[in-house]
Amino acid sequence: MTPAEHTVFSIRKRALASSLPVMMGYVAMGFAAGVLLTTRGETGHPVFWGILTSMTSISGTLQFLFPGWFRTGLPLTEVALLTFCINFRYAMYGFSLLGKFQDISWWKRCYLVWTLTDETYALEVASPYPAGPANSTYCLTLAMLDHLYWIIGVAAGAFAGSRLPFSGKGVEFAMTALFLVILTDQVRNRENRKPAIVGGGTALAALLVFGPEKMLIPAIILIVTIFLFFRKKWDREAAQ
Amino acid sequence: MTSTAYLFAIVLTAAAVTILLRSVPFLLFREGKPLPPVIHYISKMLSPAIIALLTFYCFGGHLQERVPAEHGFGIAELSAAIVVVGLQLWKRNPLLSILAGTAVYMIFIQKIFP
């Protein structure tokens, strides 16, 4: 083994080691989302749709929402607007990676952008290598591994979903539980409490006025309007 | 049942919007240029608000989908939610909280309020 090969090998090994916690999370969470797709998605070929949905979007929240969207045939304008709001945070991540990715060829950079999830972002920002070939190898290996974990988790869950040894009635609560878990963790941080209360209050009002099927779009518009209206006050408070 | 072509359209729309969002900084900005402050502010506020919104949206779905007696007029949802939040505050293990809460919910609607 030449020194150069050894270096690439050791970089890949390091990437594999740092991706292991993500593997646990992605395979398990993907599995739950895959089961949901089979029991609730009404797609006909859940394993195929599991692989397609997990491979293209690589987004946990979307993955849990897809079964409902599939079942009801949600209008595409709503799919686009909801996806935009749910994944808006992704538009921020690249800013701190521009420098680290600048030497990487454009098609590899396209793959890194495509696979930029919360967890992969966190690992890439913390890359131990300075911008350059070693960093490129490290980030690409991480991106491919995380992508693969997610696809495997969802596909396995979609496959297992049709072979549950008990009734799957009620399994859709997994999605509610996922959002409750994220919300619980977010409101530990004091800064997140006000936006969470605005979101929750608006959601409750929209639920009562419009019902669960039509509540999301008016609620999102109202939430953003409230945030913009109080921007001067709340932005200053957050800065203190 | 939704047609296969429409399922493809949903998947492609969601993927296109997601990938577009991920590529915004690479398409629009150069290194070192600061973010427009209003975008930074909205981004920071939107994440917890959207998660809170989706939580209520899910509860609305559960309550609407079954006749009230099938979930004990909301007792199944409330109990499962308490298990999820309680476990998450205590153990901080997302998978454990989700599995336990879902199991509680399934037991409620399959065995207790069938």
Side-chain angles (χ1 to χ4, degrees):
Chain A
M1 194 184 276
T2 69
E5 275 169 344
H6 179 74
T7 310
V8 170
F9 179 75
S10 64
I11 295 169
R12 289 198 194 282
K13 214 168 76 178
R14 194 158 177 182
L16 175 67
S18 38
S19 78
L20 287 180
V22 179
M23 178 177 82
M24 316 270 279
Y26 275 20
V27 171
M29 210 61 93
F31 192 90
V35 170
L36 198 62
L37 185 68
T38 303
T39 48
R40 306 283 294 172
E42 296 182 8
T43 56
H45 298 90
V47 176
F48 170 79
W49 289 101
I51 292 172
L52 190 73
T53 49
S54 58
M55 197 175 80
T56 48
S57 289
I58 332 173
S59 159
T61 312
L62 283 189
Q63 198 67 47
F64 276 87
L65 289 169
F66 275 133
W69 294 0
F70 283 1
R71 201 172 63 248
T72 57
L74 193 74
L76 294 182
T77 45
E78 290 191 37
V79 170
L81 184 63
L82 284 173
T83 306
F84 185 84
C85 290
I86 291 165
N87 286 339
F88 188 76
R89 66 185 188 287
Y90 288 144
M92 307 297 125
Y93 289 174
F95 288 102
S96 40
L97 290 170
L98 286 170
K100 285 216 150 196
F101 287 179
Q102 64 187 354
D103 301 332
I104 300 175
S105 64
W106 71 270
W107 60 275
K108 284 181 181 167
R109 215 179 323 158
C110 283
Y111 181 72
L112 289 171
V113 168
W114 174 25
T115 53
L116 199 59
T117 62
D118 300 312
E119 292 77 6
T120 308
Y121 164 76
L123 290 176
E124 286 172 352
V125 163
S127 159
Y129 303 99
N135 180 60
S136 165
T137 306
Y138 181 79
C139 289
L140 278 165
T141 311
L142 272 179
M144 278 189 267
L145 286 171
D146 289 357
H147 197 182
L148 201 64
Y149 300 150
W150 183 240
I151 297 169
I152 290 172
V154 174
F159 179 76
S162 55
R163 286 158 182 77
L164 286 183
F166 50 85
S167 162
K169 195 178 159 199
V171 76
E172 67 273 15
F173 194 81
M175 177 171 67
T176 316
L178 171 74
F179 294 137
L180 278 172
V181 162
I182 301 174
L183 193 63
T184 307
D185 284 343
Q186 278 182 340
V187 297
R188 281 182 214 275
N189 183 346
R190 196 172 289 276
E191 265 184 17
N192 288 331
R193 288 182 195 162
K194 198 184 296 153
I197 291 168
V198 170
T202 311
L204 192 60
L207 178 63
L208 296 174
V209 175
F210 299 101
E213 274 153 26
K214 297 204 168 74
M215 66 180 276
L216 285 173
I217 305 284
I220 286 171
I221 293 170
L222 192 57
I223 287 169
V224 174
T225 310
I226 293 172
F227 285 162
L228 289 176
F229 189 80
F230 289 105
R231 182 183 160 207
K232 264 201 162 140
K233 189 166 182 287
W234 289 352
D235 214 10
R236 198 175 48 229
E237 281 174 14
Q240 282 163 1
Chain B
M1 195 165 153
T2 315
S3 80
T4 305
Y6 198 77
L7 295 183
F8 273 108
I10 291 177
V11 174
L12 288 180
T13 306
V17 173
T18 305
I19 293 167
L20 202 67
L21 284 170
R22 284 174 178 151
S23 58
V24 161
F26 297 89
L27 295 175
L28 294 186
F29 294 90
R30 293 262 149 257
E31 171 77 355
K33 234 182 139 189
L35 206 58
V38 66
I39 304 286
H40 183 74
Y41 165 75
I42 287 292
S43 156
K44 197 178 58 191
M45 303 293 273
L46 203 55
S47 176
I50 291 289
I51 296 297
L53 169 65
L54 288 173
T55 310
F56 276 97
Y57 166 72
C58 288
F59 277 106
H62 295 311
L63 294 175
Q64 189 197 41
E65 193 161 314
R66 303 178 202 291
V67 291
E70 259 190 60
H71 48 59
F73 303 93
I75 289 177
E77 283 78 10
L78 196 64
S79 315
I82 290 169
V83 169
V84 173
V85 174
L87 269 177
Q88 186 61 19
L89 287 173
W90 181 33
K91 292 284 185 188
R92 299 198 181 199
N93 180 339
L95 200 65
L96 175 74
S97 313
I98 292 169
L99 287 180
T102 307
V104 167
Y105 187 71
M106 291 171 79
I107 291 167
F108 259 103
I109 66 164
Q110 287 184 23
K111 308 283 180 207
I112 302 177
F113 305 110

